[in-house]
Amino acid sequence: QVQLMESGGDLVQPGGSLRLSCAASGRIFSINPMGWYRQPPGKERELVATMTSGGSTNYADSVKGRFTISRDNAKNTVFLQMNSLKPEDTAVYYCYANVWLSMSSPKQDAYWGQGTQVTVSS
């Protein structure tokens, strides 16, 4: 089975920076796309940023210009560099991976990490 291991969540002050990491392991041919979602207190899970294996990105409007997603395809790892953090960025951040099992099989499955807490407060 596939596992997603997240790290990097912390308590930071407004205007600060944080970098999240997520590494996928298991039976994987490719991951497309891979990225991050978040769930603020009292709200539903929402898109933060995703990236395809080819480098195409998709950002939520609320984080454009502040967050940057990157990937290391060889290590099945995705990163999220978060700058100019705001209190409204406070949420549990979840790693997301759409995993393809082989080149010949059309089967794909979505996997989620356990989440890492990001709190932005003075």
Side-chain angles (χ1 to χ4, degrees), residues 2 4 22 24 28 30-37 47 49-58 69-71 73 76-78 94-100 108-112:
V2 175
L4 303 180
C22 174
I28 299 169
S30 66
I31 304 176
N32 188 25
M34 191 175 190
W36 298 91
Y37 287 70
L47 169 75
T50 60
M51 177 177 280
T52 68
S53 59
S56 179
T57 59
N58 184 30
I69 188 171
S70 59
R71 286 180 63 168
N73 291 336
N76 288 323
T77 302
V78 64
Y94 295 92
C95 182
Y96 166 82
N98 191 50
V99 178
W100 298 74
Q108 54 182 303
D109 290 300
Y111 289 88
W112 296 91

Side-chain angles (χ1 to χ4, degrees), residues 3-122:
Q3 290 186 329
L4 303 180
M5 300 296 293
E6 301 143 315
S7 63
D10 207 346
L11 171 65
V12 297
Q13 295 184 343
S17 297
L18 207 59
R19 191 175 87 139
L20 306 182
S21 300
C22 174
S25 61
R27 185 180 178 184
I28 299 169
F29 174 73
S30 66
I31 304 176
N32 188 25
M34 191 175 190
W36 298 91
Y37 287 70
R38 69 186 182 186
Q39 187 167 19
K43 297 183 178 181
E44 296 183 354
R45 190 174 300 184
E46 63 185 21
L47 169 75
V48 178
T50 60
M51 177 177 280
T52 68
S53 59
S56 179
T57 59
N58 184 30
Y59 292 94
D61 289 340
S62 59
V63 307
K64 288 181 179 178
R66 300 188 298 120
F67 291 9
T68 302
I69 188 171
S70 59
R71 286 180 63 168
D72 185 338
N73 291 336
K75 297 181 179 179
N76 288 323
T77 302
V78 64
F79 306 93
L80 185 68
Q81 179 65 48
M82 303 185 293
N83 298 325
S84 301
L85 284 164
K86 305 175 181 179
E88 49 263 45
D89 294 319
T90 296
V92 178
Y93 284 70
Y94 295 92
C95 182
Y96 166 82
N98 191 50
V99 178
W100 298 74
L101 297 180
S102 71
M103 182 176 66
S104 60
S105 175
K107 187 176 181 179
Q108 54 182 303
D109 290 300
Y111 289 88
W112 296 91
Q114 293 184 343
T116 184
Q117 178 69 50
V118 172
T119 302
V120 185
S121 176
S122 60

